[in-house]
Amino acid sequence: SKTSHPVQTGRYAETIQAADGDYIRINAWNATHYGETNVTMLGNMNGVNVVINITRPSELNVTISLPANSTRFNVSANFTANISVKNIGGSMATVCQLTFRAGNLNIINVSEGENVTKTIGTIALGQQINTSINLTAKNLGNTSITIAGSCESDGFNLEKADVSTRTNMTVVDT
C-alpha cells in the first residue's frame, strides 16, 4: 500500500509483510531513470532510501490493437494483428523485434510467408511505431495470441509492458 507524503516531494511509504532475515529488493523509477536498493529485514525498517540515478535502458510497451479479445474467425481466414510499440525506457531501443506466440499454433499461426519473429529496428526514446503480423485461422478451436517485444538494448524491465495478449480467439466453421 503506497502512500505519498505531499508535504515532502518524492517521498513515499510502503508497507510490506516480511520476516526478519528476508532479503528485499526495492526499485523506484521515473520516466528516464531508476534506482535500486537491497535490504535484509530486521524489525521496523524506517529510512530505507532509493536513489533514482541510473539511466533507464530501452523498454518496450507492446499493444495489440486488433483483433479484440473474444474474436471469431472462419477456418482458413487470413487476418491481421495490428500492433503498436512504444519505447518507454530512458534510452534508444536498438535491434528490436516482435515475436508471435499462440496458445495453440494448430489453431492460429502466422500466415504463409510470414515469420514468427518480425524485425522492427531502432525506436527512439518516446517514439511509437505501428506494424502488423499476418495470421491464419488454421483449424477449429479456441486459443490466445501473444506478441512479445524485445531489443538488444533492453535491460532491467520496470513496467512489464513488453508483452500483449488477446484471449478467447475462436476459429469456427460456418
Side-chain angles (χ1 to χ4, degrees):
S1 62
K2 180 171 43 175
T3 57
S4 66
H5 297 274
V7 177
Q8 298 173 318
T9 303
R11 293 194 62 168
Y12 294 87
E14 186 70 32
T15 302
I16 61 169
Q17 184 175 350
D20 282 354
D22 285 352
Y23 178 79
I24 307 293
R25 183 174 79 182
I26 303 167
N27 299 304
W29 64 91
N30 60 25
T32 59
H33 291 80
Y34 76 99
E36 177 180 300
T37 193
N38 301 300
V39 296
T40 301
M41 294 299 295
L42 183 60
N44 186 1
M45 304 284 295
N46 292 314
V48 177
N49 296 309
V50 180
V51 178
I52 302 174
N53 63 349
I54 304 167
T55 301
R56 283 178 66 175
S58 63
E59 185 173 336
L60 299 182
N61 181 344
V62 176
T63 304
I64 301 171
S65 55
L66 284 175
N69 287 328
S70 302
T71 300
R72 295 169 63 95
F73 302 97
N74 287 326
V75 70
S76 300
N78 294 308
F79 63 98
T80 301
N82 292 330
I83 307 143
S84 65
V85 182
K86 184 173 184 178
N87 178 6
I88 59 171
S91 307
M92 178 83 70
T94 58
V95 192
C96 300
Q97 65 181 19
L98 297 174
T99 302
F100 169 81
R101 296 189 305 254
N104 186 332
L105 293 172
N106 291 317
I107 297 172
I108 295 177
N109 206 335
V110 294
S111 297
E112 189 172 328
E114 186 87 55
N115 293 316
V116 294
T117 301
K118 181 173 189 143
T119 300
I120 54 175
T122 298
I123 307 172
L125 175 60
Q127 178 186 11
Q128 178 175 306
I129 65 163
N130 296 305
T131 190
S132 61
I133 295 178
N134 297 314
L135 303 173
T136 301
K138 300 277 189 181
N139 290 294
L140 302 178
N142 184 285
T143 192
S144 61
I145 62 170
T146 298
I147 306 292
S150 64
C151 304
E152 282 187 7
S153 55
D154 288 352
F156 190 53
N157 188 326
L158 296 162
E159 303 287 345
K160 309 285 190 240
D162 57 336
V163 175
S164 184
T165 299
R166 289 292 184 248
T167 60
N168 198 29
M169 304 282 100
T170 303
V171 178
V172 297
D173 188 11
T174 57

